[in-house]
Amino acid sequence: MSRDEEIRTQVERILSAPEFSSSYRLSRLLQYLVDQHLANPQKSVSEYHLGFEVFERPSDFDPQTDSVVRVQTARLRQKLVAYYVDTGRNDEILIVIPRGRYAVNVSFREIQKPDGVSIASTTTTVTPQEKNTITSRFRLLFFRTAWLVGGSFLLIVAAAAIYARTFWWNKRPLEPTAVHFTYYPGLEDNASFSPDGTSVAFSGSSEDGREIFIKEIASGKLRQVTHDKSMDINPAWSPDGSSIAFYRAKEDGGEFVIASLNGVEHVVEQSRSARIGAPSTSSRMPDVGPEWSGNNNLIVADKDGEGGNESLFFINLKDGSRTQLTFPVAAASIGDLAPAVSPDGKSIAFVRVSSIGASDIFIVPLHGGSPRRITSDNVDIDGVAWDAGGRQLIFSSKRDGTYRLWRINLDSGQMGLFPASGLNALHPAVDLTQNRLIYTEWNINSNIWRVDLRVPFEKRKPVAWITSTVHQDSPQYSPDGKSIVFFSDRTGYWELWLANSEGGDLHQITHFEGATAGSPQWSPNGQEIAFDLRAKGVSNVFIFNVKTEAIRQITQENSDTMEPRWSGDGGVLYVVSKKTGLPQIWKVPLDGNPWTQLTHNGGFDGTERLGFSQLIFTRPSTGFSTLDLRTGQESEILELASVKSYRYWAMSPDGIYYFSADDTHRFINFYDFKTHRISRVFEMSGAIYGGTPSLTVSPDGHYLAYAQVDSFNADLVLVRNW
């Protein structure tokens, strides 16, 4: 076991002790401080950062007026002292919080066993002050107690008080405690409890993809179930505990598979629609199930043949028959996903996705019928689970701007935050045998990088430019090259930010605090920034005035309208709208004149090529095309027909910079308008943050900036007493 693993195991031991079993906030604080210590042992965390990240204070949290961090840190320091004097007196690893710092000191100490055999580790030197911290505190406690015992009356009073407190404490409901269940490199996601509650199956990173693993809760023993070097996700235990069903994603579609616990597999059914995601580190793929209904049936989300929406299907494992259960009808909707069968087996909760980032929870009877709507938020939902009694649903939602766990009472409709919900909490699963829940804690860091295009190819080395510990993407240079606009969630919400040409003087310019903004584009005169904003489940286009900071809404559609691009004269926006069903590019005059539909076979990111009366755009699947703004004729750029850019492209007067990848490498290439030749610009060192317009070239052609995923991990968090 590595040193870090030993420390994490010690934290789990501490948090399961009586001193911490009923203190959720202190458990969360200790877990956070230890995580920070393992990342950088020399660094302290700021009081503001702890207030925001651990105690869920708002972004305007003022430590001078709100003492929650100081008070709770002092309580945690005292709890640790009490733990090591009693429960942890024989623990080899000592974790203490020094005064004056928001950090932990971790030491390996020598313990003398009763038989005289010492247990020693010299990984970290323990200073005399650290060794005496606990003993000095309790020496003081001893003398104080002895003084009190001098009076028998006081002793009786103290005993009565202790009895009363103990009686009250034992009757008091336990607070939830959350501990990391996995902490391996890469991703652990899509957890599922075994029917007897002893183990958890999950999808985890492997060398060549993702495989299904099982981890025992008590012993921590881990074993791998699948070994196909593919993308195996969404494991679900059979009710009798003998097998695990899961989904295997492939380039050409996918398949629903059942594997015995010793790894013997058989394919239940081929999926009707492709599922493989963009070549990025994100594992956020549509939740298509499977879910068990008894030992002989599966519930899956799939398409009925080519095209159409995702729907729920009932698969009979005995005869292979397939019955459609839900029938989403909206032409622009994505459909029904994330099925979850109720504990009594009579109902299915699922997520109906009306468009990207807009969904709600419904419940349908097991054998079909009219779905009943449960939520009306029109926000992104990523996973839903039933409680053991079947009267509550726990789900992951962005209803307050970031993914957190919520629960809703199906009788009263009352909804509230889940008590042990951290940030970026996805895919909850409930243990029906005990009061436990597990979810995925997703952490991803994307930053804006820059490369000098004027140096020779062999010397081009991208450098990190605009960075933080969270996300930033969608960089776009201003027309004069002096400013850059981008989006970041460093305040907890996706907001618009500005920086100067060197990446300094950063300041936030929007404060939506919940609605999700994207696709920023400068006006030709550099005075305004157009962007799209998703609020109440629908995207529309807005314009921000850089000088006055005023924001005005340009479109007011009931269907998604997004990805604005300016015309050369600044009088028109080219937008993508789903008002006819498929995403098409439309011309929207800013003087109020009627819209004009430009494409008829789908299109994204329509960008005007100045001086040529031509629009360059991408297709819904692959390839680049041109549209003649005078005749309306669409033509494919043959040299780029097979390119899938994932919105990572930018146009210069001479050509198109775009993203390209093979099995092991990621590149930025350049297509020359005159020669029709393709050349390599540089190789990226990380993955892209797919789906955002995250490539931009400075007006003078000196620099190219882009967003890149620099680190990621997803761990499973186990919650007790919820």
Side-chain angles (χ1 to χ4, degrees), residues 487 494-495 512 514-518 531-535 538-542 551 561-562:
F487 279 100
W494 284 103
E495 303 286 1
F512 298 117
T516 302
F531 61 95
D532 54 42
L533 182 72
R534 179 174 296 279
V538 178
S539 286
N540 272 290
V541 173
F542 294 73
I551 297 175
T561 306
M562 51 198 177

Side-chain angles (χ1 to χ4, degrees), residues 108-129:
F108 284 63
R109 59 180 182 167
E110 183 176 292
I111 302 296
Q112 194 75 24
K113 283 187 173 181
D115 59 4
V117 180
S118 64
I119 307 169
S121 172
T122 58
T123 304
T124 303
T125 302
V126 184
T127 66
Q129 182 180 1

Side-chain angles (χ1 to χ4, degrees), residues 322-336:
R322 170 182 169 112
T323 304
Q324 188 167 349
L325 301 178
T326 63
F327 300 84
V329 296
S333 77
I334 294 173
D336 299 339

Side-chain angles (χ1 to χ4, degrees), residues 209-244:
R210 296 180 63 185
E211 310 288 357
I212 304 301
F213 295 82
I214 294 175
K215 183 176 180 180
E216 296 178 4
I217 297 175
S219 68
K221 181 180 178 182
L222 180 72
R223 62 190 179 96
Q224 187 172 338
V225 178
T226 63
H227 301 80
D228 65 301
K229 300 182 180 180
S230 186
M231 292 286 288
D232 296 345
I233 60 175
N234 301 340
W237 290 84
S238 61
D240 63 7
S242 64
S243 58
I244 295 174

Side-chain angles (χ1 to χ4, degrees), residues 615-677:
L615 205 68
I616 307 294
F617 64 97
T618 56
R619 293 291 187 184
S621 54
T622 59
F624 285 78
S625 294
T626 64
L627 181 139
D628 191 311
L629 293 173
R630 295 162 298 189
T631 66
Q633 182 178 355
E634 299 180 26
S635 303
E636 186 177 41
I637 300 178
L638 298 178
E639 295 82 2
L640 304 178
S642 62
V643 171
K644 195 166 187 176
S645 66
Y646 305 101
R647 301 194 72 198
Y648 267 63
W649 67 280
M651 192 163 61
S652 73
D654 300 321
I656 300 172
Y657 293 90
Y658 66 91
F659 170 82
S660 180
D662 56 27
D663 291 340
T664 57
H665 301 281
R666 304 172 182 89
F667 307 100
I668 300 298
N669 291 340
F670 180 73
Y671 169 75
D672 192 295
F673 284 136
K674 291 183 179 179
T675 65
H676 304 288
R677 293 180 178 177

Side-chain angles (χ1 to χ4, degrees), residues 281-434:
T281 56
S282 173
S283 70
R284 301 270 322 284
M285 300 171 67
D287 183 353
V288 298
E291 272 277 298
W292 289 88
S293 173
N295 285 313
N296 299 310
N297 309 292
L298 292 180
I299 309 296
V300 303
D302 204 1
K303 291 185 177 180
D304 186 12
E306 296 296 328
N309 305 101
E310 301 284 347
S311 304
L312 299 189
F313 291 86
F314 181 96
I315 300 177
N316 188 312
L317 298 179
K318 290 184 176 180
D319 59 19
S321 62
R322 170 182 169 112
T323 304
Q324 188 167 349
L325 301 178
T326 63
F327 300 84
V329 296
S333 77
I334 294 173
D336 299 339
L337 298 166
V341 177
S342 62
D344 63 7
K346 297 179 179 180
S347 303
I348 305 170
F350 65 93
V351 177
R352 176 159 287 176
V353 186
S354 56
S355 62
I356 296 174
S359 52
D360 278 294
I361 297 173
F362 289 73
I363 292 178
V364 67
L366 179 65
H367 295 293
S370 298
R372 174 167 64 103
R373 187 167 190 158
I374 304 301
T375 66
S376 299
D377 293 331
N378 282 317
V379 296
D380 202 7
I381 295 175
D382 209 325
V384 59
W386 296 80
D387 75 337
R391 303 315 310 158
Q392 290 189 88
L393 293 177
I394 297 89
F395 60 99
S396 170
S397 171
K398 289 187 72 175
R399 64 193 316 264
D400 70 345
T402 187
Y403 289 105
R404 301 179 72 176
L405 295 189
W406 297 78
R407 59 181 175 185
I408 184 170
N409 186 297
L410 297 178
D411 294 323
S412 66
Q414 184 176 359
M415 188 184 307
L417 265 176
F418 185 76
S421 173
L423 300 178
N424 301 316
L426 310 172
H427 306 150
V430 171
D431 180 1
L432 300 182
T433 69
Q434 298 186 42

Side-chain angles (χ1 to χ4, degrees), residues 109-313:
R109 59 180 182 167
E110 183 176 292
I111 302 296
Q112 194 75 24
K113 283 187 173 181
D115 59 4
V117 180
S118 64
I119 307 169
S121 172
T122 58
T123 304
T124 303
T125 302
V126 184
T127 66
Q129 182 180 1
E130 288 172 336
K131 284 184 176 180
N132 292 329
T133 297
I134 294 172
T135 55
S136 62
R137 285 183 179 274
F138 275 81
R139 188 180 299 116
L140 177 61
L141 180 61
F142 172 79
F143 285 120
R144 286 179 177 174
T145 304
W147 181 81
L148 288 173
V149 173
S152 60
F153 176 75
L154 292 179
L155 179 62
I156 295 172
V157 172
I162 292 172
Y163 174 81
R165 182 181 183 278
T166 303
F167 178 81
W168 171 83
W169 188 265
N170 289 336
K171 295 296 184 182
R172 178 183 179 222
L174 295 176
E175 293 184 22
T177 59
V179 296
H180 276 78
F181 183 69
T182 63
Y183 33 78
Y184 312 115
L187 311 174
E188 298 92 52
D189 195 9
N190 309 125
S192 173
F193 283 101
S194 61
D196 61 5
T198 62
S199 301
V200 172
F202 62 91
S203 173
S205 295
S206 64
E207 184 176 351
D208 299 298
R210 296 180 63 185
E211 310 288 357
I212 304 301
F213 295 82
I214 294 175
K215 183 176 180 180
E216 296 178 4
I217 297 175
S219 68
K221 181 180 178 182
L222 180 72
R223 62 190 179 96
Q224 187 172 338
V225 178
T226 63
H227 301 80
D228 65 301
K229 300 182 180 180
S230 186
M231 292 286 288
D232 296 345
I233 60 175
N234 301 340
W237 290 84
S238 61
D240 63 7
S242 64
S243 58
I244 295 174
F246 61 92
Y247 183 80
R248 177 167 289 156
K250 296 183 175 182
E251 288 284 355
D252 57 352
E255 55 195 20
F256 298 101
V257 183
I258 295 177
S260 65
L261 299 189
N262 60 9
V264 178
E265 301 179 3
H266 75 273
V267 176
V268 175
E269 185 176 274
Q270 296 292 326
S271 173
R272 309 289 175 89
S273 55
R275 307 242 184 252
I276 200 72
S280 73
T281 56
S282 173
S283 70
R284 301 270 322 284
M285 300 171 67
D287 183 353
V288 298
E291 272 277 298
W292 289 88
S293 173
N295 285 313
N296 299 310
N297 309 292
L298 292 180
I299 309 296
V300 303
D302 204 1
K303 291 185 177 180
D304 186 12
E306 296 296 328
N309 305 101
E310 301 284 347
S311 304
L312 299 189
F313 291 86

